[in-house]
Amino acid sequence: MPRSSFELLARALTVCCDDGVSGALSLSGRPGGVIHLREGAVIAVDTPGAPGVDSVLLRSGRISEDDWSAALRAGPGGPTPRDELLARAGVGNTELQLVATMAAQDGAFVIVTGDIEEYAIDYNRFDVLVPVTPAIELDWLLDETRRRLDALASLPVAVSPHRDRIAPVAGVASSGVASTAVRRDILAGANGRRSARDIAFVSGRNVFPVTIEISRMIGDGLVEIAVESPEDPGGGSRKPLRPRMPAAGAQSVSGGDMKGLPLRSPGASGVSELLKPSRAAGWQVLPRLLNRVRAGPSVNRTNSDEISQQKGTPGGS
């Protein structure tokens, strides 16, 4: 696995740690993301490349939509979103802390398996609905991210969580051969168009364990990386749109029998007659006038000179 993104992330986080930043580290790239910090320690990682705390809790069935909506409505001076979830949902503080910590670890892993173009430090604090408490120390997060990169690189087939599209092996892969729940979710989500990241979102799981399991399933002959054709860069098969075939017994309007269809005579509706009085004299000049105004003074001056020459008068002052 390429390590340039990891090295850039480590350098940026080291700067934040040394300065004791309480704000956000914004990383642009694919997928990129935002790392939230308090006094140089990490409290959350947001990235479009990995499910956040909300996606994991909702997809896994730990909380309901009403529970999460109540957490979003929590305002200043009252219960925090974490307090609302603990009071309403069937999750405890330890479980919620574990989900938030795993989401932060997963987000860091996903960011470094992509491309980081540049970073910027924002010293303004952003609201984090479910922060990791206590915050994650920098050295521990970097060591865990490096360990995950090494684990993926050690497999015979190191799947890219973002780029590689996963398809079941024809005639072999089925839900009946899956020995674990995560494998069943992968087989249910693999359709030749989804990556490990997409399957993680659908199943409500973290990207890292899904990516690792997909790499192992490739070795077991259950799934494979879908081959992209030049005509189909997105993976999978795309058939061109074709006109719908007429039903049996139906008559083709363009091909012949039009008996029984109502025929329209031009002017029979009377609409044209109703519209004529609404067009005042000179309305045809308005579009040309607007075009001259949009064209600017140079064009208008040229047109004026031409008109003056035709009349035999000077072109103007």
Side-chain angles (χ1 to χ4, degrees):
M1 301 294 294
R3 299 305 173 98
S4 58
S5 294
F6 174 81
E7 294 170 358
L8 182 57
L9 176 66
R11 185 162 59 249
L13 284 177
T14 300
V15 172
C16 294
C17 181
D18 293 342
D19 293 346
V21 172
S22 291
L25 173 65
S26 299
L27 302 153
S28 64
R30 297 182 180 180
V34 177
I35 299 179
H36 301 273
L37 305 112
R38 295 291 183 270
E39 298 179 355
V42 177
I43 62 170
V45 179
D46 293 330
T47 172
V53 176
D54 54 340
S55 297
V56 174
L57 292 174
L58 289 168
R59 290 284 186 177
S60 62
R62 291 183 176 93
I63 65 173
S64 64
E65 292 282 354
D66 294 338
D67 296 334
W68 186 250
S69 298
L72 293 177
R73 290 194 298 267
T80 64
R82 174 188 287 271
D83 295 335
E84 285 288 346
L85 290 176
L86 294 176
R88 294 173 57 93
V91 294
N93 184 58
T94 302
E95 184 178 8
L96 191 60
Q97 171 71 12
L98 179 61
V99 172
T101 303
M102 293 178 63
Q105 296 172 357
D106 200 49
F109 164 77
V110 166
I111 289 175
V112 297
T113 53
D115 299 320
I116 299 178
E117 298 172 355
E118 58 184 0
Y119 69 87
I121 301 174
D122 192 335
Y123 291 87
N124 296 315
R125 293 191 178 190
F126 295 91
D127 292 333
V128 178
L129 293 178
V130 186
V132 179
T133 53
I136 302 175
E137 295 296 332
L138 171 62
D139 292 340
W140 185 85
L141 180 63
L142 291 178
D143 288 343
E144 178 64 20
T145 304
R146 185 186 296 108
R147 184 192 67 81
R148 295 186 176 203
L149 288 175
D150 293 339
L152 181 58
S154 65
L155 296 174
V157 179
V159 174
S160 169
H162 315 288
R163 293 184 297 271
D164 294 333
R165 309 293 172 177
I166 309 303
V169 175
V172 177
S174 65
S175 59
V177 301
S179 57
T180 61
V182 63
R183 289 198 167 197
R184 286 192 292 270
D185 289 342
I186 291 172
L187 290 176
N191 59 3
R193 291 182 176 272
R194 290 176 176 152
S195 62
R197 174 256 185 201
D198 300 329
I199 296 174
F201 267 97
V202 171
S203 60
R205 298 179 180 276
N206 295 126
V207 176
F208 172 70
V210 171
T211 304
I212 291 292
E213 198 61 36
I214 287 175
S215 298
R216 291 171 177 166
M217 292 173 69
I218 291 177
D220 294 339
L222 298 177
V223 296
E224 61 185 358
I225 298 176
V227 179
E228 297 181 359
S229 62
E231 296 80 10
D232 184 17
S237 60
R238 296 179 182 174
K239 296 180 179 180
L241 296 178
R242 297 178 180 177
R244 184 178 298 174
M245 298 300 295
Q251 297 289 342
S252 173
V253 175
S254 61
D257 190 3
M258 299 181 63
K259 294 180 179 181
L261 293 178
L263 298 178
R264 179 182 179 276
S265 299
S269 62
V271 175
S272 300
E273 296 298 327
L274 291 174
L275 291 178
K276 284 183 179 179
S278 64
R279 293 181 174 180
W283 68 271
Q284 300 91 339
V285 182
L286 181 59
R288 294 198 295 272
L289 179 61
L290 291 176
N291 289 335
R292 291 176 58 186
V293 172
R294 295 191 186 102
S298 60
V299 176
N300 294 336
R301 175 67 179 271
T302 302
N303 294 338
S304 176
D305 292 343
E306 293 177 355
I307 295 174
S308 300
Q309 293 174 5
Q310 293 175 1
K311 292 183 178 181
T313 60
S317 57

